[in-house]
Amino acid sequence: MFVLGGPVKGGRVYGQWPGLGANQLYEGRDLAVTTDFRQVAGRSCVTSLGNDNLARVSRDLRKPPAGIS
């Protein structure tokens, strides 16, 4: 997942690197997912758009845990 824009604190990789070993791939062929995109989208709505009523935007968006910016 890539996130772009002025408020993004870039210059590093966030999340976990699961690895590319045969036993680390999802279904033996795909890079494993380690970040729930709904948390990223929820954080973007709250910080960039100033909307903390995520249920109104989408029932699938989730607020990230406190302290994550």
Side-chain angles (χ1 to χ4, degrees), residues 4 7-8 12 17 26 39 42 45 48 52 57 59 63:
L4 306 171
V8 175
R12 61 181 278 202
W17 175 251
Y26 177 72
Q39 273 194 347
C45 282
S48 297
D52 63 350
V57 177
R59 65 186 166 139
K63 286 187 182 180

Side-chain angles (χ1 to χ4, degrees), residues 13-45:
V13 175
Y14 292 88
Q16 299 173 350
W17 175 251
L20 293 173
N23 64 331
Q24 296 166 316
L25 297 175
Y26 177 72
E27 294 185 348
R29 63 175 181 238
D30 297 322
L31 185 63
V33 175
T34 61
T35 302
D36 185 346
F37 76 92
R38 295 170 291 191
Q39 273 194 347
V40 177
R43 173 54 61 193
S44 296
C45 282

